[in-house]
Amino acid sequence: MANRMGYLSCLDTVKPVRDAIEVINGKWKLPIIISVMTGNERFTDIQESIPGITPKVLAKELKDLEQHQLIKRVVVDDYPVKILYKPEPYADTLTPIIDALKGWGLNHRKRIFSKE
Amino acid sequence: MANRMGYLSCLDTVKPVRDAIEVINGKWKLPIIISVMTGNERFTDIQESIPGITPKVLAKELKDLEQHQLIKRVVVDDYPVKILYKPEPYADTLTPIIDALKGWGLNHRKRIFSKE
DNA sequence: TATTTCACTTTCCTTTTGGAAAGCACTATA
DNA sequence: TATAGTGCTTTCCAAAAGGAAAGTGAAATA
């Protein structure tokens, strides 16, 4: 039969998708970005706005997001010193991804509740 | 000063985004869906189309994706038996997410290479 | 008969992620 | 002076993700 064909290459799509996933991977990064873009600036506010997140995880993820220039950590030198987290302009480029995920998640939940 | 205000709620966005992330989490699920949607049907073809994936991980992720009704495992009763993986119609609903991630990843790579 | 292919599974091990709880330095408030 | 809040860090530990390598059973091919 000699029906052995190679696989179909999909690297044109897989590679950039993987690059994106590497930046926003995990349960927490997008929720944190959403919270900061919503206007939460203080560590405790961000923490309270995301149910289930612990300070350890939040601190680590904030550092990651800072490195990728999605948010910035601002130290305000009043007395007492205040620390604020603000979205960088680059964070806005994630909006299409967030919107797509939000739309899908909303629909998925409807689908699940109508089935079972 | 009494400047204590509650945090800003962002659950309207965070909750559906988390629902979506739970389904497509990890490094591998979207690449697998992309490969299957591209037309790769056989286990080995999917494996070869995604650099770095091991058969253990692929087998596990395929089961997860089947459970979420994103792909189906089809046993073709020729001799020898063939096993094919096909996208379910529901997988098409992920296209906006994949496109958004692809676009972002492409731009991100350009950004990184132009900076450093 | 020997090798190869297919679709995995199994074992073992390392890394990553995450959670619970406590602590801490500083400041503010009662 | 005692308590509370802020922005974390530290410790300890469990679970999940992931990788490397080998194996498996059935069937096809050489």
Side-chain angles (χ1 to χ4, degrees):
Chain A
M1 273 299 164
N3 205 3
R4 189 75 286 267
M5 194 177 56
Y7 59 87
L8 301 163
S9 175
C10 46
L11 287 182
D12 280 2
T13 303
V14 165
K15 287 205 324 196
V17 166
R18 287 190 55 168
D19 289 342
I21 289 171
E22 269 179 50
V23 176
I24 57 161
N25 62 355
K27 283 166 71 173
W28 302 113
K29 290 200 187 68
L30 285 178
I32 292 165
I33 287 168
I34 291 163
S35 178
V36 172
M37 286 177 76
T38 298
N40 291 306
E41 299 190 316
R42 311 293 301 267
F43 190 92
T44 325
D45 287 344
I46 300 166
Q47 193 187 325
E48 285 171 3
S49 74
I50 303 170
I53 201 168
T54 60
K56 188 186 86 172
V57 169
L58 179 55
K60 186 233 171 206
E61 298 289 49
L62 284 170
K63 278 173 201 156
D64 285 2
L65 294 172
E66 221 192 322
Q67 279 197 2
H68 285 295
Q69 294 170 351
L70 291 164
I71 60 171
K72 57 170 180 270
R73 185 180 188 269
V74 182
V75 181
V76 182
D77 253 358
D78 293 341
Y79 296 97
V81 176
K82 258 192 230 170
I83 289 160
L84 303 181
Y85 293 93
K86 310 233 192 196
E88 295 267 21
Y90 195 38
D92 289 335
T93 64
L94 292 173
T95 303
I97 294 171
I98 292 167
D99 288 347
L101 289 167
K102 179 181 179 179
W104 195 88
L106 249 16
N107 182 65
H108 185 63
R109 180 164 286 256
K110 269 196 293 184
R111 183 182 152 101
I112 282 173
F113 277 106
S114 70
K115 298 214 149 181
E116 291 165 316
Chain B
M1 275 299 161
N3 205 4
R4 187 79 283 269
M5 194 177 57
Y7 60 86
L8 301 163
S9 174
C10 46
L11 288 181
D12 280 3
T13 304
V14 166
K15 286 207 320 200
V17 167
R18 288 189 55 168
D19 288 344
I21 289 172
E22 267 179 50
V23 176
I24 58 162
N25 64 355
K27 283 166 71 172
W28 302 113
K29 289 199 187 68
L30 285 177
I32 292 165
I33 287 168
I34 291 163
S35 177
V36 172
M37 286 178 77
T38 299
N40 290 307
E41 299 189 315
R42 311 293 301 267
F43 191 92
T44 325
D45 287 344
I46 299 166
Q47 193 187 325
E48 285 171 4
S49 73
I50 302 171
I53 202 168
T54 60
K56 189 187 83 172
V57 170
L58 179 55
K60 187 234 171 207
E61 298 289 51
L62 285 170
K63 277 172 201 156
D64 285 0
L65 294 172
E66 222 191 322
Q67 278 198 3
H68 285 293
Q69 293 169 350
L70 291 163
I71 60 171
K72 58 171 179 269
R73 185 179 188 271
V74 183
V75 182
V76 182
D77 253 358
D78 293 342
Y79 296 97
V81 175
K82 258 192 229 173
I83 290 161
L84 302 180
Y85 294 93
K86 310 233 193 197
E88 295 267 21
Y90 194 38
D92 289 334
T93 64
L94 291 173
T95 304
I97 294 172
I98 292 167
D99 288 347
L101 289 167
K102 179 180 179 178
W104 195 88
L106 249 16
N107 182 65
H108 185 64
R109 180 165 286 257
K110 269 197 292 184
R111 181 183 154 101
I112 282 173
F113 277 106
S114 69
K115 297 214 151 181
E116 294 166 309

